[in-house]
Amino acid sequence: MENFRTLKFLDFFKPIFEKMGVDYHVMRKILQVKMMMDRRRVPTIFNQNRNKQKKESNQFFKSLWLYAFFGLSIIPFMVMGENYIFQMSIAYSIVMFIVMTSMISDFSSVLLDLRDKNILGTKPIHTRTISAAKIVHVSIYLFFITASLIGIPAVIALIKQGFPFFLLFILGILFLNLFILVFTALLYLAILKFFDGERLKDIINYVQIILSISIIVGYQLAFRSFEFMDTINNYELTSQWWQLLIPPLWFGAPFELVLHGNWNVFIVILTVLSLVIPIAFLLLYIKLMPAFERNLIKLTQQQVGNKKERKNKNNWFVNLICQTKEEKCFYRFANTMMKNEREFKLKVYPSLGFSLIFPFIMFFNELRVSTFTELVASKWFLSIYFTFLMIPTIIMMLRYSGKYKGAWIYKTTPIQDQAAIYKGTLKAFLVKLFLPIFLIVGVIFTLIFKVQVIPHLIIALLSAFLFTIISFMVMSKSLPFSQSIKMVQQQGESGKIFLLFIPNAILFGLHYVSTLVSYGIYVYMIVLLVVNYFLWGNKRIFNPTKSLQRT
Amino acid sequence: MVQNEQPIISLKDLTISFDNKMILKAINLDVYKGQIIGYIGPNGAGKSTTVKIMLGLVEGYHGQVQIFGQDISNGNVDYKKRIGYVPETAELYDNLTASEYLTFVGELYGMDYEKVEEKAQKLMKIFGLEDVFHNRLSSFSKGMRQKVLIISSLLHNPDLLFLDEPLSGLDANSVIVVKEVLAQLAAQGKTIFYSSHIMEVVEKISNRIILLSNGNIVADGSFAELKEQNKEGTLEEIFNQLTGFNKHQAIAEEFVSIVQEV
């Protein structure tokens, strides 16, 4: 076992821990093992390009570069202008958002590790030592994340705004981190108190998804943050009571108080909150710690009986879109798998997010050069084709699952019609994942472009169905949810996703051309209907390739 | 059984409730050196809870728990140094290798790194796992994990063993080895507290059987004694009788009849 540099640094504080009654030697041992396990894990922030997992280097430390990059986005808020409370509140909100989401997505496992109880709890170690190890463990990571996040901005602030500002900033960050750490723990405590562990895992999963999406959006914002500065400099605080509930404002207030000498009551209250709340939460947490540990047990328990029995009320819908019994069966199966499997959701939902956002990013860019009326009259509704971006990705992902070992049921059950497996799954994907996104974009587009856009939306939807078939044909066929989700990078299918931009562009082009001819769109609509009818009805397309039948 | 020595485990009026439901109802139990206790009972009878209380994993009980003559509620965790534990759910830090995990556990029990590693390696070899000593536990089969857990519970040569379904997932040959190991350990004065649902094993392995039902001890004695009191042939039958379960035939009939409706 190797000796981590961090731990060597920690050795300096040995006397302090020992004074608190912590068995330092054992705590260090636990931390060492914990850190070793951590480096074998990939943080969510790296989720986009997890490859070459075999090499054992600390993924976490590599991810710090990304944090440093995101940290750049707060620089403008710190150096430009004098409206401290607003600038700093925004800077702190960015820090808080990034730190809190990474905390929840990657370090929940530390706070919520049940194995600790069974493995460490049964050994001759005092509870105080175990708790200390837990807190130090999280704090170490929290330290690295924040340090890389604010490192560069802090240095720039020191040069530009002087030492008092710098000092306030660092102090603010310390209290903010304390707040985040304790707040997250209390949040879990509350969730565990009222719900069962499954719900908590769902919540953590959604936070991971949000983090993945915001990383991409963050890239965009990081470069544009300078543009917001004008608006911010002219903003004024209106002293509403509800503003007291916004944590970043608390941490922005001390700057106003100390550097501008603004002793306004409201500012003073905010400043006091920034000091008192983190400490109060900490005390509360220490007090509730035993309750927390007790409720942790719930993580393994499913609440029995209070889940509503769901009648299959959309049976008619399944009957409508699936013809055979087997197809219906796989439709339902894929439906529940996509809904319940967390690892699958983590991989797939971010791309749903992009599909939802991209059409709008496209025309917000357009809005900078043209007016809104011009936009409404234009053919920018065609940007809905950007929602198709998710289709190849997800069709590729459908074969993966964290629980891929369950796929033996495909082999041991007498499935007559292999085509039904794929057909049912693809339909479930379209209904469950694609349609909701398409509908949201569609409704907003109808509001913007008015009713005449509806035929175009129908064409786009038919094109999406066609594109789904095309993507499916291009990808190599593999039974749904039958391969390890860790294999995603090794299959060489990802290249095909880029290849599939071409048919997407062609469909887009055809639609555009059809708008140039009168009644062109209606003719095109009928053509698409017919093509779809034949392709979806063609069994050969869905039948598995020979190599698959052999295995 | 009359014992003059001090009990290894002594429970006095041990009571605990969760969510207003009484799990253990004033249990009294003394366990002596060298005994192999077969601790049995239906699901939810409170078996695991009893073990977890004794290991200090569950707090908030009433009554007194003494282990090695020491009251465990006094906050001193030193008594755990002499305890080995195999949990029911095969929980371990599975992104560690077997070697890393075992040395870590040994060190937590206060052993020297080199000493544990050597010992762990030897024990792994006996179980036929020397080739995977440096592989991650996540790649281990259920039986292999169980062997690692058994080794991890014995590394520090404990005087008291708590085993919760220790044989699950093991193949027949390993089962025989482990059973023999337990018998020899008991012969050398170790105390073993063994819970299981497999009555045949409990019947053969234990020299004292304790049956827990609805939070009460309903039977306590050697297999021979239980047989005499209850006039039943196997431990399974005694178990059914004492837990008031006699509907197995009716239940099975209903089950089969539902299976036959296609």
Side-chain angles (χ1 to χ4, degrees), chain A residues 1 26 29-30 33-34 36-37 40 56 113 115-126, chain B residues 55 57 75 77 80-81 85 91-97 100-101 103-105 107-109 113 136:
Chain A
M1 290 196 211
V26 171
K29 207 85 265 156
I30 297 173
V33 162
K34 293 278 180 178
M36 196 152 65
M37 292 197 288
R40 295 173 184 173
E56 194 173 293
D113 201 336
R115 297 172 303 180
D116 279 357
K117 209 169 168 52
N118 271 330
I119 299 176
L120 302 177
T122 54
K123 309 292 178 290
I125 313 166
H126 204 281
Chain B
L55 282 160
L57 289 177
V77 292
K80 292 185 191 176
K81 280 188 184 151
Y85 176 49
E91 268 172 347
L92 20 76
Y93 294 132
D94 60 4
N95 31 12
L96 295 180
T97 66
E100 286 163 350
Y101 180 75
T103 48
F104 174 59
V105 170
E107 282 183 293
L108 289 181
Y109 280 116
Y113 180 85
R136 295 208 191 154

Side-chain angles (χ1 to χ4, degrees), chain A residues 333-452:
Chain A
F333 171 63
N335 216 338
T336 37
M337 284 298 279
M338 285 189 278
K339 193 171 72 196
N340 293 338
E341 222 210 287
R342 298 194 181 91
E343 279 187 72
F344 180 80
K345 284 200 275 196
L346 180 58
K347 291 276 181 186
V348 159
Y349 278 32
S351 62
L352 295 187
F354 308 146
S355 290
L356 186 63
I357 292 164
F358 266 119
F360 297 103
I361 289 186
M362 287 304 143
F363 74 64
F364 281 129
N365 279 335
E366 179 62 20
L367 265 182
R368 297 163 157 198
V369 288
S370 52
T371 64
F372 191 70
T373 18
E374 277 173 334
L375 183 82
V376 170
S378 73
K379 284 172 184 161
W380 269 99
F381 54 78
L382 288 178
S383 70
I384 199 164
Y385 277 77
F386 280 101
T387 55
F388 292 15
L389 288 178
M390 70 153 117
I391 294 176
T393 320
I394 297 180
I395 288 181
M396 181 190 83
M397 290 303 303
L398 278 174
R399 76 193 56 189
Y400 299 111
S401 165
K403 306 269 175 278
Y404 65 100
K405 283 181 180 154
W408 56 267
I409 50 162
Y410 291 117
K411 308 290 178 201
T412 55
T413 45
I415 301 165
Q416 299 286 326
D417 180 16
Q418 294 268 336
I421 301 178
Y422 297 106
K423 244 173 142 173
T425 309
L426 285 181
K427 284 179 183 173
F429 149 66
L430 283 172
V431 173
K432 181 93 195 160
L433 300 178
F434 180 73
L435 266 186
I437 303 290
F438 187 86
L439 281 178
I440 295 171
V441 179
V443 167
I444 299 174
F445 274 25
T446 316
L447 293 175
I448 297 176
F449 295 99
K450 303 291 166 326
V451 201
Q452 65 261 27

Side-chain angles (χ1 to χ4, degrees), chain A residues 31-78:
Chain A
L31 285 172
Q32 194 177 14
V33 162
K34 293 278 180 178
M35 289 168 85
M36 196 152 65
M37 292 197 288
D38 288 336
R39 67 154 55 177
R40 295 173 184 173
R41 205 160 51 89
V42 182
T44 316
I45 201 165
F46 258 3
N47 194 19
Q48 299 303 322
N49 47 356
R50 76 154 41 157
N51 43 18
K52 297 190 194 85
Q53 243 192 348
K54 274 166 212 136
K55 252 206 320 213
E56 194 173 293
S57 59
N58 200 332
Q59 293 286 342
F60 174 77
F61 285 103
K62 285 192 201 149
S63 75
L64 289 180
W65 289 107
L66 259 170
Y67 286 105
F69 175 77
F70 290 121
L72 298 180
S73 64
I74 64 175
I75 293 175
F77 299 108
M78 299 186 56

Side-chain angles (χ1 to χ4, degrees), chain B residues 47-67:
Chain B
K47 297 190 302 291
S48 296
T49 309
T50 322
V51 172
K52 282 182 177 166
I53 289 173
M54 290 190 278
L55 282 160
L57 289 177
V58 173
E59 283 159 19
Y61 60 85
H62 299 282
Q64 201 184 36
V65 179
Q66 280 192 340
I67 292 182

Side-chain angles (χ1 to χ4, degrees), chain A residues 475-505:
Chain A
M475 298 282 175
S476 61
K477 292 182 191 58
S478 189
L479 291 167
F481 313 109
S482 68
Q483 293 181 30
S484 165
I485 208 150
K486 298 201 174 73
M487 301 286 287
V488 175
Q489 296 297 325
Q490 279 122 347
Q491 299 250 337
E493 291 284 300
S494 332
K496 290 182 183 165
I497 291 176
F498 293 98
L499 190 71
L500 281 164
F501 281 146
I502 300 167
N504 192 357

